[in-house]
Amino acid sequence: MSEARLINRALKAVLNKYTGEDPHRPAWHLSPQTGLMNDPNGFIQFQGEWHLFYQWNPVACAHGAKYWGHWRSTNLLDWRHEPLALVPSEEYESHGCYSGSAIDHDGRLTLLYTGNVKFEHGRTAWQCLATVDKNGEVTKQGPVISLPPGYTGHVRDPKIWRHKDHWYLVLGAQNLAEQGKVLLYRGNSLQEWTLLGEIAGAHLNGLDDFGYMWECPDLFALGDREVLIVCPQGLAAQERKWLNTYQSGYFIGKLDYESATFPHGEFQELDHGFEFYAPQTTLADDGRRIMFGWMGLPDANEFFQPTIAQGWIHTMTCPRELTLEQGKVMQRPARELQQLREQHKHYQNRADALPTLCVESAELNIRSLGNWEVCFGETLTLACDEQGIRLTRRNLRSGEPEQRYWLGKVSQLQILCDRSSIEIFINDGEGVMSARYFPQAKPVAVWQGEASLSLDYWQLRLCMVV
Ligand code: FRU
């Protein structure tokens, strides 16, 4: 379809945006104006400003031929809309401008993304370049990598970085035996790329079967190691772990750029909640590694979420700072988020003697030992005991209770609430549980249990995307 027609369709959807009451619309998380948003893309701090692009179907609450939307921010908190970045108008991207990443190339903001093409039987994928000018206008440069032999059409989601004198990128891939893999490429320029090989995947580095497709790889140095984040599809659920439709986790290892090998440790989940997928990191100017994730998951119960009645679906997570500590990737809310805090209150009491608190847009910082429970908006329950944390809600499709777990000794929790979402940071970043939930009324937290809690509470201010 022509570019003009695609842009017109998006514009029509945005002009007709729902303007009635919308209790689940986040106060400070990023969400789409209309339609469906999924992966964070092209996350970068460029010439001092933050840019976050995103997978977007502006015209329907459905997956399909994705566009790239674009937000820009000076403080990582207040974002504004930039022009539509990519629309799937060319033959090499006819079924979507799929996920990708951004770099600063000689002072020019440059994007690398997947052109997804479907045929009647089968599909192919192109890795494509585009440049962004200072007004946010994007110029496509076309494909620079075609489908490598030995793989199905599922090869996508380039994450690019510079190391010494070369560009490198990783791609998520499926080989012809339907095994998920990560491919490493080296570029002499952004146009000329060489496939160095598979650096991770099913049947590599000591793994057995490990999924039929790996999506959204991200490889970066953290401390004195490299971390490979990846989203394997097709792992069977285990007792109390890997319970979501697809997983999102990481391997810690050491990348040898010469031999293109990445010996690594075991797969660890990044988030133990109900909704988390396809995260992407960037290196901030001050050296921090910052990550956004999609607080959603494909192919589960997403189309039962009630915001569809208001014409939109899904949100991003908050930005998180990553560090490597004792063989674990720790996640903490980006320190900028502390600027959202207003009206502090402190409580020290038995859980069941704590007051009911408004958690429409709030942060709770809890120190505790013992058994206690808190219920958010009569919809989502967090139970804490000596085994760890159990999060319970009703499945939106079946109405049956469903659970997620974090196992370990809990001493501290930092909980970020935003109308229809919750992010629970455990033991100063040792674990995270993210979830969407849809209370009928304004959500309040109601406490139970005899454990003694020390609780700091703040309301969080609104961040309007203008
Ligand atoms: C992950 C993903 C990516 C793909 C994009 C399409 O959620 O499936 O692999 O590029 O979403 O929207």
Side-chain angles (χ1 to χ4, degrees):
M1 203 183 295
S2 78
E3 190 171 62
R5 193 162 285 190
L6 286 161
I7 293 172
N8 238 336
R9 288 190 167 190
L11 183 63
K12 179 176 169 221
V14 172
L15 290 172
N16 286 309
K17 177 178 173 314
Y18 178 86
T19 51
E21 205 181 315
D22 198 351
H24 303 313
R25 178 66 85 172
W28 54 271
H29 281 84
L30 288 162
S31 62
Q33 293 274 303
T34 64
L36 181 147
M37 181 209 78
N38 52 303
D39 312 355
N41 291 158
F43 182 33
I44 190 169
Q45 191 176 18
F46 175 75
Q47 298 178 348
E49 286 192 304
W50 300 96
H51 293 259
L52 183 67
F53 299 81
Y54 56 99
Q55 285 287 285
W56 190 25
N57 181 357
V59 299
C61 288
H63 291 279
K66 296 287 167 55
Y67 295 51
W68 276 38
H70 181 190
W71 291 300
R72 187 205 284 239
S73 169
T74 53
N75 62 2
L76 207 57
L77 300 171
D78 301 281
W79 296 84
R80 62 190 164 86
H81 294 286
E82 289 292 288
L84 252 182
L86 295 168
V87 304
S89 56
E90 305 298 321
E91 246 176 79
Y92 58 75
E93 58 189 12
S94 56
H95 290 72
C97 299
Y98 272 15
S99 285
S101 49
I103 37 153
D104 178 343
H105 180 226
D106 292 339
R108 184 176 292 208
L109 179 53
T110 303
L111 311 176
L112 196 66
Y113 66 98
T114 300
N116 180 46
V117 179
K118 289 186 183 169
F119 312 115
E120 204 181 323
H121 302 288
R123 64 199 292 162
T124 192
W126 301 93
Q127 313 311 323
C128 309
L129 264 187
T131 50
V132 189
D133 73 15
K134 60 180 182 338
N135 300 317
E137 300 290 345
V138 175
T139 307
K140 291 177 186 167
Q141 312 288 342
V144 292
I145 298 178
S146 59
L147 202 63
Y151 298 88
T152 71
H154 290 281
V155 175
R156 57 177 169 263
D157 310 334
K159 179 74 198 296
I160 180 171
W161 72 98
R162 184 89 183 162
H163 177 74
K164 297 193 173 151
D165 295 334
H166 288 97
W167 295 105
Y168 289 86
L169 66 81
V170 277
L171 285 174
Q174 178 184 63
N175 71 6
L176 295 176
E178 300 196 356
Q179 298 164 348
K181 303 283 183 180
V182 173
L183 309 181
L184 178 69
Y185 282 73
R186 175 157 51 212
N188 286 325
S189 69
L190 293 180
Q191 276 75 23
E192 302 162 73
W193 292 94
T194 310
L195 174 58
L196 299 180
E198 296 176 351
I199 55 159
H203 301 277
L204 282 173
N205 300 323
L207 293 179
D208 200 349
D209 284 345
F210 212 82
Y212 56 81
M213 170 65 190
W214 285 20
E215 295 190 313
C216 298
D218 189 351
L219 200 154
F220 50 90
L222 201 61
D224 59 348
R225 317 281 287 166
E226 270 91 26
V227 172
L228 173 66
I229 288 180
V230 74
C231 297
Q233 299 185 314
L235 303 187
Q238 314 271 309
E239 210 200 336
R240 300 192 175 199
K241 66 173 192 176
W242 303 357
L243 296 175
N244 292 335
T245 37
Y246 305 132
Q247 272 50 60
S248 178
Y250 63 91
F251 299 96
I252 298 172
K254 194 77 207 142
L255 178 63
D256 184 331
Y257 282 88
E258 289 320 306
S259 60
T261 51
F262 179 66
H264 60 65
E266 59 171 24
F267 183 71
Q268 307 192 55
E269 273 183 284
L270 270 170
D271 195 293
H272 296 259
F274 288 98
E275 274 90 18
F276 183 86
Y277 199 65
Q280 189 175 93
T281 71
T282 197
L283 187 62
D285 291 345
D286 61 11
R288 287 179 295 162
R289 177 62 57 175
I290 307 210
M291 177 178 84
F292 272 100
W294 170 30
M295 220 185 315
L297 268 175
D299 305 331
N301 300 316
E302 55 185 327
F303 300 118
F304 292 84
Q305 293 191 7
T307 63
I308 290 176
Q310 281 84 43
W312 66 277
I313 179 168
H314 298 309
T315 74
M316 291 293 172
T317 64
C318 72
R320 303 175 181 178
E321 292 179 20
L322 305 186
T323 53
L324 192 64
E325 294 172 34
Q326 280 139 28
K328 268 193 184 169
V329 172
M330 307 286 281
Q331 298 175 57
R332 298 180 178 94
R335 60 197 68 169
E336 283 84 348
L337 292 168
Q338 293 173 15
Q339 295 164 30
L340 299 180
R341 291 173 175 170
E342 290 175 340
Q343 300 173 27
H344 175 244
K345 291 200 175 112
H346 179 76
Y347 304 93
Q348 178 94 43
N349 225 325
R350 268 170 56 138
D352 55 10
L354 286 171
T356 295
L357 292 171
C358 174
V359 288
E360 203 186 348
S361 177
E363 175 176 342
L364 311 174
N365 219 316
I366 302 169
R367 285 183 190 282
S368 78
L369 284 174
N371 295 6
W372 57 279
E373 244 181 65
V374 54
C375 183
F376 297 92
E378 294 177 24
T379 309
L380 182 83
T381 305
L382 182 167
C384 193
D385 63 22
E386 54 286 338
Q387 287 186 17
I389 292 178
R390 191 176 68 245
L391 211 54
T392 308
R393 67 179 184 188
R394 285 194 184 277
N395 182 284
L396 287 176
R397 186 200 298 251
S398 66
E400 294 299 318
E402 55 181 0
Q403 269 97 22
R404 293 292 181 273
Y405 306 89
W406 187 84
L407 301 177
K409 187 174 170 328
V410 178
S411 56
Q412 186 263 351
L413 297 179
Q414 184 180 3
I415 305 178
L416 301 177
C417 302
D418 189 359
R419 294 195 173 148
S420 56
S421 75
I422 187 161
E423 288 164 274
I424 303 161
F425 293 82
I426 305 159
N427 297 346
D428 196 24
E430 195 187 340
V432 191
M433 301 177 88
S434 304
R436 301 294 308 284
Y437 75 117
F438 304 97
Q440 297 293 321
K442 281 193 177 183
V444 289
V446 178
W447 310 84
Q448 273 184 39
E450 296 179 358
S452 151
L453 304 193
S454 161
L455 168 66
D456 286 291
Y457 167 86
W458 294 267
Q459 305 227 358
L460 300 181
R461 78 158 165 87
L462 212 68
C463 285
M464 292 301 290
V465 178
V466 288

